[in-house]
C-alpha cells in the first residue's frame, strides 16, 4: 500500500467530517459508533464532489491510501483507498472500529474467523460479500478478520472511517494473518 496526504479537502468531505465528529463525540460503544458513522457516510458515496482528482489516483503496483482527515485528538480518520483491478489486501484485522463504503466500482470481501486447531489455530472463511457503489459495511474488533480486493475491471475507490489516527499509525491494520485457511 502506498500512502499520500491530500493537498486540500472538498466542501463535501468537510461536511462529512463534521457529521462523523458528532457521532464519535457521543462516546458510544464501538459497534454502534460504526453503524451510525456508516449511516452518515452512505449519502456521500458516488458523488462527484467528495474527492479531489488527486485523491482518486491509484498506483499500478498496489492499492493506494489517501488520508483525507485525521482528527487532532486521534478519535477518527477518514481515508480513501484506491484499487486498480485485481489489487487486494492481505488477510488482516484492525486496530479499531471501521466503516467502509464503496465510492466507485465494486469490492469483494472474504471474512474469516479464527478457529482453534489440534496443533495450531487456523482461519475459517465465513462469508463472501460483494460491495457495489453506495454500499457500506461496518465492524468492530474482535471478529473483523478479512481480505478485500477490487473485483471489477476498472478502478475502485472506497472511503474508510477508522476509530484511530491512521496518519500517525500509518495503517489501520493491527495484525496480518498467515495461518492456514480452511
Amino acid at each position: 500500500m502506498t500512502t499520500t496526504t491530500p493537498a486540500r479537502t472538498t466542501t463535501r468531505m468537510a461536511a462529512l467530517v463534521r457529521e462523523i465528529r458528532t457521532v464519535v463525540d457521543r462516546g458510544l460503544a464501538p459497534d454502534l459508533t460504526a453503524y451510525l458513522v456508516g449511516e452518515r457516510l452512505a449519502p456521500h458515496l458516488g458523488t462527484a464532489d467528495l474527492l479531489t482528482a488527486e485523491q482518486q489516483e491509484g498506483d499500478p503496483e498496489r492499492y493506494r491510501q489517501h488520508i483525507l482527515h485525521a482528527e487532532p485528538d486521534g478519535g477518527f480518520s477518514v481515508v480513501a483507498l484506491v484499487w486498480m483491478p485485481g489489487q487486494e489486501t492481505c488477510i488482516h484485522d484492525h486496530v479499531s472500529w471501521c466503516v467502509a463504503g464503496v465510492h466507485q466500482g465494486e469490492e469483494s470481501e472474504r471474512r474469516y474467523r479464527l478457529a482453534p486447531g489440534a496443533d495450531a489455530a487456523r482461519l475459517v472463511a465465513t462469508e463472501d460479500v460483494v460491495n457495489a457503489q453506495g454500499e457500506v459495511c461496518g465492524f468492530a474488533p474482535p471478529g473483523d478478520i478479512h481480505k478485500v480486493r477490487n473485483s471489477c475491471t476498472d478502478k475502485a475507490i472506497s472511503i474508510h472511517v477508522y476509530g484511530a489516527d491512521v496518519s500517525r499509525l500509518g495503517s489501520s491494520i493491527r495484525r496480518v494473518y498467515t495461518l492456514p485457511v480452511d
Side-chain angles (χ1 to χ4, degrees):
M1 169 182 56
T2 57
T3 301
T4 62
T5 304
R8 67 178 179 88
T9 298
T10 66
T11 301
R12 182 180 285 274
M13 181 56 67
L16 175 57
V17 166
R18 287 191 299 274
E19 293 174 39
I20 294 168
R21 186 178 296 123
T22 63
V23 171
V24 173
D25 285 352
R26 293 172 65 185
L28 302 170
D31 56 343
L32 182 55
T33 298
Y35 176 81
L36 294 172
V37 167
E39 285 187 331
R40 299 326 184 267
L41 175 60
H44 298 278
L45 297 172
T47 59
D49 59 343
L50 183 62
L51 301 174
T52 66
E54 178 185 63
Q55 295 163 348
Q56 298 176 60
E57 292 177 359
D59 181 317
E61 300 299 317
R62 60 193 60 84
Y63 70 95
R64 188 169 188 181
Q65 172 180 269
H66 297 275
I67 299 173
L68 307 174
H69 175 81
E71 197 70 351
D73 69 359
F76 69 93
S77 301
V78 183
V79 172
L81 295 182
V82 181
W83 315 74
M84 302 314 285
Q87 291 179 341
E88 64 185 13
T89 68
C90 54
I91 300 172
H92 65 280
D93 63 7
H94 299 88
V95 298
S96 68
W97 59 264
C98 174
V99 174
V102 178
H103 181 62
Q104 174 184 316
E106 182 178 276
E107 294 176 355
S108 295
E109 176 187 16
R110 175 163 280 178
R111 298 175 183 171
Y112 300 89
R113 70 177 172 81
L114 194 56
D119 297 321
R122 68 189 194 290
L123 293 172
V124 176
T126 60
E127 187 175 16
D128 287 310
V129 179
V130 177
N131 297 303
Q133 182 178 326
E135 293 184 321
V136 174
C137 64
F139 48 82
D144 62 323
I145 303 170
H146 70 162
K147 178 179 187 171
V148 181
R149 72 180 179 89
N150 176 351
S151 56
C152 62
T153 58
D154 286 322
K155 176 172 59 177
I157 302 173
S158 50
I159 307 299
H160 297 243
V161 184
Y162 302 107
D165 185 348
V166 173
S167 69
R168 185 178 57 79
L169 299 174
S171 169
S172 68
I173 294 174
R174 179 175 66 121
R175 181 174 34 206
V176 171
Y177 291 85
T178 57
L179 299 170
V181 176
D182 289 349

